[in-house]
Amino acid sequence: MNIGVMIKSYLEDRGISQAYVSRKTNINPVKLNLALNGNRTLSLEEYALICGVLKVDTNKFLKPRIPEKTKDD
């Protein structure tokens, strides 16, 4: 699942508005909305700011992944 979509779900479950997150992080509301709807990738800096505002660890929405094997492996 897309990180932005997971953050959007987290906000909705807790009654936190995108406008609040946008104000607190200084992320343009249109860019934030695009990211939370899976239409734009959040930068690492934006992600860290959002986690800071939400008072969650940056691992909250990130899960380790193992790359798929390639033909060179």
Side-chain angles (χ1 to χ4, degrees), residues 30-42:
V30 173
K31 287 183 175 183
L32 180 63
N33 183 269
L34 286 170
L36 299 186
N37 284 298
N39 298 313
R40 178 181 173 271
T41 302
L42 288 168

Side-chain angles (χ1 to χ4, degrees), residues 6-69:
M6 288 190 289
I7 293 170
K8 180 180 179 182
S9 177
Y10 181 89
L11 297 177
E12 289 172 348
D13 290 348
R14 286 155 183 80
I16 302 169
S17 72
Q18 289 183 30
Y20 171 81
V21 175
S22 175
R23 278 193 312 274
K24 292 294 189 177
T25 60
N26 203 29
I27 298 171
N28 178 292
V30 173
K31 287 183 175 183
L32 180 63
N33 183 269
L34 286 170
L36 299 186
N37 284 298
N39 298 313
R40 178 181 173 271
T41 302
L42 288 168
S43 72
L44 186 56
E45 182 177 346
E46 291 169 333
Y47 177 71
L49 286 168
I50 291 168
C51 288
V53 165
L54 298 177
K55 296 180 174 71
V56 298
D57 190 273
T58 52
N59 290 328
K60 174 73 177 169
F61 305 103
L62 285 175
K63 304 296 179 218
R65 293 187 317 185
I66 298 172
E68 293 182 23
K69 290 193 181 253

